[in-house]
Amino acid sequence: MNASPNGNLLEVRGLQKHFPIRRGVFSRVSGWLRAVDGVDLAIREGETLGLVGETGSGKTTMGRCILRLIEPTAGSVRFQGVDLLSLSSSEMRKMRRELQVIFQDPYGSLNPRMRVGSIVGEPLAIHHIARGSEREDRVAELLRRVGLDPSMMRRYPHEFSGGQRQRIGIARALALKPKLIICDEPVSALDVSIQAQVVNLLMDLQEEFALTYLFIAHDLSIVEHISDRVAVMYLGKIVEMADAETLYREPKHPYTQALLSAIPVPDPEARARRILLKGDLPSPASPPPGCSFHTRCPVAIDVCSRVEPPLLAVGAGHLASCHLVPGGPSPPSQ
């Protein structure tokens, strides 16, 4: 199987994940929490798509829906032209060789009772790819490739630092030679001094193994460094998407502008104009009407509270959903 004719390895259309809210003695459904609420995106083969947004915006849920670690409520996820949501459990099991994940917590994602050699070699055992000395050789090479000594394969996870544990998680993700890896905030739990090392490792591995990444993060400076394109997510929806250079130079959506204004400026004499958002992220169980961002937007107008702006092109390869963006949707007549 190859990428689709338009060069997209992964295509997501209308993806939704609504969790039921249950109350009462009989646990009746009283509402729905809209964690992901109609997302469209595509990832080209060999690129890194950064996905950013505040905690609670639905980034991790979307990544897990793509992998079918949790089942989506609606929509389609096509990988190499195959609709993953239509596959049976046995068919999806085979497809997982092409789709892997690096989790946020480098300790919680590793079984503390298993030695590192068994953790990294487990995918090889599950898919009957290698056994015995061949598997051990493959594990040793994987550990060596992520910067760890192969002699460490007989140790347990608690004997490693956070950065080393994440390297173990990366080695496990590489074991089956996947095409797409979903990186779910892979450096957010690490010390700042280690983050750059892990990000550079991921970039080196991408070039060596022709990998495609969906890189989920909330640190925009890291996303800028690793991503080819960036999608900004707010309350379960994509509100802006563009190539990294364009988005960081000319952000169109007020939410993106606020996020970028929070990036520290390395020049001590330069004064950044910080955009402070009022209030907290609304509950996805009862999202605001109209534009979901209007309750916190510093430039919202009346129509924003009544009409939801669609995600439309505002430039070459640049999408945004805002009534006030030049080239975007025009406010309806009052």
Side-chain angles (χ1 to χ4, degrees):
M1 291 184 294
N2 299 309
S4 62
N6 57 13
N8 293 330
L9 184 69
L10 179 77
E11 295 181 348
V12 176
R13 295 289 178 262
L15 189 66
Q16 296 181 0
K17 180 57 184 178
H18 298 171
F19 294 97
I21 300 172
R22 301 182 182 276
R23 291 193 174 95
V25 177
F26 299 103
S27 297
R28 291 193 175 94
V29 176
S30 61
W32 296 90
L33 190 149
R34 302 172 181 238
V36 179
D37 199 20
V39 169
D40 295 344
L41 61 80
I43 306 178
R44 294 187 286 268
E45 190 167 13
E47 81 165 343
T48 297
L49 176 66
L51 183 62
V52 302
E54 294 173 280
T55 299
S57 60
K59 308 183 300 298
T60 292
T61 300
M62 190 171 79
R64 296 190 177 197
C65 283
I66 290 172
L67 294 169
R68 283 186 65 183
L69 297 179
I70 54 177
E71 292 294 332
T73 303
S76 68
V77 178
R78 301 189 73 85
F79 176 74
Q80 296 182 310
V82 177
D83 186 359
L84 299 183
L85 306 188
S86 67
L87 300 181
S88 66
S89 57
S90 60
E91 291 171 332
M92 189 64 203
R93 184 189 182 99
K94 295 177 182 177
M95 186 64 76
R96 292 195 191 283
R97 292 181 58 172
E98 308 285 351
L99 301 155
Q100 290 296 308
V101 59
I102 300 170
F103 292 102
Q104 175 181 0
D105 184 356
Y107 188 68
S109 62
L110 304 178
N111 189 332
R113 298 184 178 182
M114 292 176 66
R115 297 180 189 271
V116 166
S118 298
I119 291 173
V120 177
E122 187 175 29
L124 301 173
I126 290 174
H127 291 273
H128 309 291
I129 293 177
R131 62 178 61 188
S133 60
E134 182 185 358
R135 185 189 305 165
E136 189 167 320
D137 291 343
R138 290 276 293 272
V139 171
E141 178 56 32
L142 286 166
L143 291 177
R144 191 178 296 111
R145 188 58 197 85
V146 299
L148 297 176
D149 193 307
S151 64
M152 295 178 173
M153 70 171 67
R154 288 170 179 79
R155 298 184 187 177
Y156 290 93
H158 73 269
E159 299 179 68
F160 294 87
S161 66
Q164 289 174 322
R165 290 172 193 153
Q166 195 59 291
R167 290 172 186 267
I168 295 168
I170 294 171
R172 178 177 59 185
L174 288 173
L176 297 175
K177 299 181 180 179
K179 292 188 176 179
L180 173 68
I181 296 181
I182 294 183
C183 307
D184 185 11
E185 304 208 32
V187 298
S188 63
L190 306 179
D191 293 339
V192 175
S193 59
I194 305 300
Q195 290 181 357
Q197 297 177 22
V198 173
V199 168
N200 289 335
L201 172 63
L202 289 171
M203 295 176 71
D204 290 342
L205 293 172
Q206 181 177 36
E207 184 175 350
E208 180 177 348
F209 295 105
L211 299 170
T212 303
Y213 292 146
L214 174 61
F215 192 89
I216 300 170
H218 60 262
D219 188 328
L220 278 81
S221 57
I222 290 177
V223 171
E224 181 183 19
H225 180 65
I226 195 174
S227 301
D228 299 299
R229 291 187 301 135
V230 178
V232 181
M233 197 166 184
Y234 184 81
L235 211 64
K237 300 177 185 290
I238 301 293
V239 297
E240 187 165 4
M241 187 185 305
D243 67 85
E245 182 181 355
T246 300
L247 187 119
Y248 280 76
R249 186 182 69 246
E250 300 178 10
K252 300 295 186 182
H253 197 281
Y255 179 60
T256 308
Q257 295 168 1
L259 290 179
L260 293 178
S261 74
I263 298 177
V265 179
D267 185 353
E269 297 183 0
R271 282 196 163 189
R273 179 177 169 268
R274 180 71 189 275
I275 301 174
L276 298 176
L277 299 179
K278 55 188 178 182
D280 297 321
L281 190 74
S283 170
S286 55
C291 174
S292 57
F293 184 60
H294 84 266
T295 58
R296 306 172 69 196
C297 182
V299 294
I301 57 177
D302 178 63
V303 69
C304 299
S305 64
R306 296 184 287 105
V307 179
E308 180 181 357
L311 186 67
L312 297 178
V314 295
H318 194 163
L319 305 175
S321 62
C322 179
H323 290 299
L324 299 176
V325 172
S330 301
S333 57
Q334 303 294 318

